[in-house]
Amino acid sequence: MQTHTPARRFITLGQFIIERQSDFPYAKGELSRLLRDIGIAAKIVNREVNKAGLADILGDHGDVNVQGEDQKKLDVYANEQFIKALGAGGECIAIASEENEDLIEIDSKVSKNARYVVCIDPLDGSSNIDVNVSIGTIFSIYRRKEEMEGPTRLEDFLQKGVEQVAAGYVIYGSSTMLVYTTGKGVNGFTLDPSIGEFCLSHPDMMIPEDGAIYSINEGNYKHFPEGVKEFLRYCQEEDKASKRPYSTRYIGSLVADFHRNMIKGGIYIYPSTGKAKNGKLRLLYECNPLAFIIEQAGGKASDGFRRILDLQPETLHQRTPLFIGSANMVTKAEELMAKFSAVQA
Ligand code: AHM
Ligand code: MG
């Protein structure tokens, strides 16, 4: 008789989503399917990102996006793939994307009664594509308010971050990972290119309470609020007991900086600057999803004074300063902001 010893079981993203379906606030399978659709689009985008140096896909697309930045071909491609996947899936009624000024309504029979809306930055850090540095996708999922019927309305999107039902990011790096939360912890999946599946590699991710890394574009130093300048002085001070001076690590690709700090412990800051009173990052599809993830992993996210997840969005592409990472580091930065900087209106 032959005996068979089962190999160590690996769990794919698809299996994991199904196994965890009962954790979801509305366990009807819709959210599972939505996450699955995002996973599929991420694999397609990953394929193109990996070919970026080879295919004739680098360079400007010629258009300018809502923020007045040049669009790269891959931004456009990624945007199209996510819209296509979410549109075909039937669970999403509308999308807000960094690449589109207005809401994208899904006009199909299958999506007519869909209960979810998605906010997405399809390819964040796209200025890094041409230099082979990690880039990412960030997404956030809300359920429409119960009373909302018929075509989508702006109100479906202008919900506070605390209302998110799921959020995640994909990092296209030395390996490709998808990390997400549905409010029951954070789990990370690494893409195994040989089988084309995301496999659970980082279960129950937690960020260390303290870190020794700070990530900020110090080129803007002159225009930082006094509280941020004080925090930088604190990071650079000698203090062996608290491992200071800390190290600076700034990739300039939010998902990559965030992901490293999640694993090693650290803080990422994009404060207000002279040019931009509310910083650079967008509340709906950059700050809120990462804030949901960091809180689920035991960290903190703030605009320097207030919890990001409690901010009331007023417009789709609104920006906010962001202080995100290890809980004790964000708390320290908030302390110094309260002491040295006036509260923003
Ligand atoms: P993008 O959405 O246009 O790619 O801009 C967001 C990016 C973040 O990934 C990154 O952290 C930040 O912009 C870097 O900005 P800066 O070059 O001003 O430091
Ligand atoms: Mg972005």
Side-chain angles (χ1 to χ4, degrees):
M1 190 171 59
Q2 270 192 330
T3 52
H4 169 71
T5 313
R8 195 173 142 257
R9 183 172 170 245
F10 67 89
I11 303 173
T12 67
L13 175 65
Q15 287 166 336
F16 188 85
I17 289 172
I18 291 166
E19 280 171 21
R20 292 292 178 98
Q21 191 172 306
S22 58
D23 282 354
F24 296 163
Y26 307 88
K28 288 199 199 131
E30 301 151 308
L31 187 55
S32 302
R33 287 193 287 275
L34 199 50
L35 287 166
R36 179 208 57 196
D37 295 339
I38 290 173
I40 292 169
K43 282 194 246 178
I44 297 170
V45 171
N46 175 65
R47 192 186 60 200
E48 293 308 308
V49 167
N50 285 337
K51 291 201 302 219
L54 299 169
D56 177 30
I57 207 163
L58 284 174
D60 293 343
H61 184 247
D63 290 340
V64 168
N65 74 5
V66 236
Q67 333 290 340
E69 299 148 346
D70 287 338
Q71 280 188 344
K72 300 284 175 184
K73 276 186 183 174
L74 267 174
D75 303 28
V76 178
Y77 181 83
N79 196 34
E80 284 167 5
Q81 291 307 320
F82 282 104
I83 294 171
K84 217 190 264 177
L86 292 168
E91 310 301 347
C92 171
I93 191 153
I95 303 164
S97 164
E98 178 176 330
E99 301 298 334
N100 299 78
E101 178 142 23
D102 297 321
L103 294 179
I104 303 150
E105 284 186 67
I106 313 259
D107 182 18
S108 78
K109 271 203 188 124
V110 281
S111 308
K112 205 164 62 100
N113 298 316
R115 301 296 321 161
Y116 293 92
V117 298
V118 175
C119 304
I120 191 159
D121 183 351
L123 212 55
D124 184 69
S126 48
S127 62
N128 285 313
I129 297 169
D130 289 356
V131 289
N132 211 350
V133 167
S134 301
I135 46 181
T137 296
I138 313 173
F139 62 90
S140 160
I141 304 176
Y142 291 86
R143 200 171 153 85
R144 300 188 76 187
K145 295 272 179 207
E146 283 310 321
E147 65 276 14
M148 293 288 190
E149 291 298 338
T152 189
R153 288 187 241 152
L154 195 55
E155 289 89 324
D156 288 327
F157 289 87
L158 301 184
Q159 302 188 50
K160 290 184 183 174
V162 279
E163 305 289 344
Q164 290 172 100
V165 291
Y169 63 85
V170 183
I171 176 166
Y172 310 96
S174 44
S175 61
T176 295
M177 276 190 73
L178 187 151
V179 175
Y180 82 95
T181 183
T182 54
K184 306 260 178 194
V186 181
N187 290 283
F189 299 79
T190 303
L191 183 64
D192 179 342
S194 66
I195 56 166
E197 292 281 5
F198 283 107
C199 299
L200 181 63
S201 52
H202 295 62
D204 299 318
M205 292 172 82
M206 293 297 286
I207 180 167
E209 266 193 310
D210 290 293
I213 293 174
Y214 65 102
S215 313
I216 188 167
N217 183 348
E218 264 182 289
N220 297 322
Y221 183 87
K222 199 169 145 210
H223 302 289
F224 287 159
E226 277 312 307
V228 171
K229 290 182 180 173
E230 285 297 325
F231 181 70
L232 294 181
R233 265 193 280 284
Y234 167 83
C235 290
Q236 292 159 5
E237 248 166 36
E238 192 95 32
D239 177 32
K240 286 219 171 76
S242 60
K243 294 198 190 134
R244 284 179 289 141
Y246 298 148
S247 293
T248 315
R249 294 284 182 272
Y250 190 71
I251 297 170
S253 193
L254 175 60
V255 173
D257 280 310
F258 177 87
H259 183 71
R260 183 207 47 243
N261 291 354
M262 265 271 281
I263 290 174
K264 297 197 163 185
I267 185 169
Y268 172 100
I269 304 178
Y270 208 112
S272 60
T273 63
K275 277 186 279 179
K277 178 170 118 354
N278 291 318
K280 178 179 185 191
L281 302 173
R282 273 58 60 123
L283 177 60
L284 262 65
Y285 41 79
E286 291 176 327
C287 303
N288 269 340
L290 297 183
F292 188 18
I293 293 169
I294 210 81
E295 286 199 5
Q296 284 293 313
K300 270 183 86 169
S302 156
D303 70 352
F305 305 99
R306 297 163 296 186
R307 182 185 179 210
I308 290 286
L309 295 180
D310 285 336
L311 300 178
Q312 176 60 57
E314 270 147 30
T315 59
L316 277 188
H317 299 287
Q318 149 177 358
R319 298 173 195 259
T320 176
L322 179 67
F323 297 64
I324 192 165
S326 292
N328 292 341
M329 296 179 95
V330 175
T331 301
K332 181 72 193 176
E334 281 181 323
E335 256 171 54
L336 295 172
M337 286 296 284
K339 203 162 159 199
F340 294 97
S341 296
V343 178
Q344 280 192 333

